[in-house]
């Protein structure tokens, strides 16, 4: 992610190019790549407003991603020139809301996303009430436009589902972030590795929902369970294309859920 940026109408904007390490063998941006970009943008955008990583650390606190929903409207390709935009929408219920937009050189929407965040007390490992950090957020800094109109919903494995264990991952150094727990994007990487490579090569990830429940740490084993939702009726993704597969993947350490994601695919 390049360092040059501009702030316009409450939005933090960066121009960039899709890197080779952010695409798959079809040269299309991977879901984990968008999550990495979104994480970096959220961190950088908070700095000029006074509630970035370093300012939060002074209060022994950190932002933690709780939920996200993003849609590949027109998946960016390797070497595409893109404009990445993010803005915070203030507080919605127990969450701090932030949206994202990746647009192409022609201004067309490539990826849209919305996210919900909480604040973690790093010493107590407990959530901080949003009302306790309001004084850190400038009153006029929020932008109330929507990349996705509704906040990201909670993703849950259906009660009637019988998910199957597909793989287990021993978490280690490469999974860990600055807060000493598993980085949110790594869960998406582990989830995508649950799919048969040849099969997923024929599809496009159209829409992703993900909810983070509990933190995990190096040395723990993450068990990954998969459940394919039945598609009895035709359904369209937000990008307007028919969904051909809808899969939920739940990551657990023992009996404790770490995350749950729902991914919807269209034909490539």
């Amino acid at each position: 992610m390049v360092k040059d940026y501009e702030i316009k109408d409450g939005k933090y904007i960066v121009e960039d190019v899709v890197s080779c390490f952010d695409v798959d063998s079809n040269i299309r941006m991977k879901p984990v790549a968008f999550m990495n970009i979104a994480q970096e943008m959220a961190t950088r955008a908070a700095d000029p407003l006074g509630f970035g990583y370093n300012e939060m650390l002074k209060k022994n606190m950190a932002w933690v991603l709780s939920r996200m929903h993003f849609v590949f409207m027109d998946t960016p390709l390797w070497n595409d020139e893109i404009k990445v935009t993010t803005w915070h929408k203030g507080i919605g219920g127990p969450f701090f809301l932030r949206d994202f937009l990746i647009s192409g050189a022609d201004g067309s929407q490539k990826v849209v996303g919305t996210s919900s965040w909480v604040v973690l007390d790093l010493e107590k490992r407990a959530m901080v009430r949003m009302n306790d950090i309001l004084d850190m957020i400038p009153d006029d800094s929020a932008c109330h436009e929507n990349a996705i109109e509704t906040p990201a919903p909670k993703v849950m494995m259906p009660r009637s589902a019988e998910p199957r264990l597909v793989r287990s991952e021993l978490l280690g150094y490469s999974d860990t972030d600055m807060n000493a727990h598993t980085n949110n994007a790594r869960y998406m990487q582990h989830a995508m590795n649950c799919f048969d490579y040849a099969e997923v090569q024929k599809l496009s990830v159209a829409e992703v929902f993900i909810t983070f429940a509990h933190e995990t740490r190096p040395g723990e084993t993450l068990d990954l369970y998969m459940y394919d939702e039945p598609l009895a009726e035709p359904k369209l993704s937000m990008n307007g294309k028919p969904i051909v597969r809808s899969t939920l993947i739940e990551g657990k350490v023992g009996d404790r859920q770490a995350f749950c994601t729902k991914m919807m695919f269209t034909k490539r």
Side-chain angles (χ1 to χ4, degrees):
M1 178 67 66
V2 294
K3 295 183 178 180
D4 293 337
Y5 69 91
E6 65 172 314
I7 297 177
K8 184 177 180 180
D9 300 326
K11 299 176 180 178
Y12 184 96
I13 306 167
V14 168
E15 293 185 358
D16 207 347
V17 174
V18 179
S19 301
C20 62
F21 49 77
D22 283 336
V23 301
D24 59 19
S25 59
N26 294 314
I27 69 168
R28 299 164 67 86
M29 180 181 283
K30 294 181 286 190
V32 65
F34 173 75
M35 292 189 66
N36 279 325
I37 290 169
Q39 180 176 206
E40 179 70 6
M41 286 291 288
T43 301
R44 290 189 179 277
D47 281 339
L49 299 177
F51 52 89
Y53 176 80
N54 290 323
E55 290 302 313
M56 298 295 284
L57 195 59
K58 292 176 183 177
K59 296 178 178 290
N60 207 32
M61 298 186 298
W63 290 104
V64 176
L65 182 60
S66 179
R67 301 176 185 178
M68 179 173 270
H69 173 203
F70 58 95
V71 183
F72 287 102
M73 306 298 287
D74 181 18
T75 308
L77 307 178
W78 174 48
N79 260 342
D80 276 356
E81 294 181 359
I82 56 174
K83 180 180 289 186
V84 188
T85 305
T86 186
W87 60 98
H88 87 82
K89 301 194 293 187
I91 293 174
F95 301 112
F96 182 87
L97 306 179
R98 176 172 291 279
D99 280 12
F100 303 91
L101 169 65
I102 295 181
S103 53
D106 60 356
S108 61
Q109 290 188 344
K110 296 293 186 178
V111 191
V112 294
T114 189
S115 58
S116 302
W117 300 72
V118 295
V119 178
L120 179 70
D121 183 310
L122 294 173
E123 183 177 351
K124 298 178 181 178
R125 311 306 289 186
M127 296 302 121
V128 177
R129 294 184 307 170
M130 281 296 172
N131 285 340
D132 292 340
I133 65 161
L134 282 177
D135 60 334
M136 297 183 65
I137 302 173
D139 293 336
D140 59 350
S141 63
C143 173
H144 298 291
E145 292 183 27
N146 295 314
I148 295 178
E149 188 170 348
T150 55
K154 184 177 182 179
V155 184
M156 299 176 63
M157 191 68 73
R159 291 182 179 275
S160 59
E162 296 183 2
R164 62 191 187 279
L165 177 66
V166 290
R167 63 189 293 136
S168 297
E169 300 280 358
L170 178 62
L171 300 174
Y173 173 85
S174 296
D175 296 298
T176 309
D177 66 10
M178 297 185 296
N179 298 319
H181 62 201
T182 302
N183 182 273
N184 65 73
R186 292 291 292 181
Y187 291 120
M188 179 54 56
Q189 184 163 313
H190 291 311
M192 287 300 299
N193 286 341
C194 291
F195 293 95
D196 177 79
Y197 179 77
E199 180 182 357
V200 81
Q201 282 291 92
K202 300 174 184 177
L203 303 175
S204 290
V205 178
E207 200 160 348
V208 176
F209 303 84
I210 187 165
T211 294
F212 303 95
H214 293 283
E215 64 180 344
T216 59
R217 294 176 174 276
E220 295 182 325
T221 297
L222 183 69
D223 296 320
L224 296 147
Y225 297 83
M226 175 183 282
Y227 172 73
D228 290 306
E229 289 188 314
L231 295 174
E233 300 178 1
K235 184 178 180 182
L236 298 180
S237 167
M238 269 186 60
N239 64 16
K241 298 178 181 180
I243 296 167
V244 297
R245 180 172 183 173
S246 180
T247 300
L248 286 104
I249 295 177
E250 182 179 42
K252 302 175 73 175
V253 174
D255 294 329
R256 186 187 67 193
Q257 184 192 76
F259 79 96
C260 190
T261 182
K262 178 177 178 178
M263 286 174 278
M264 296 190 290
F265 296 82
T266 59
K267 289 184 178 180
R268 195 166 62 83

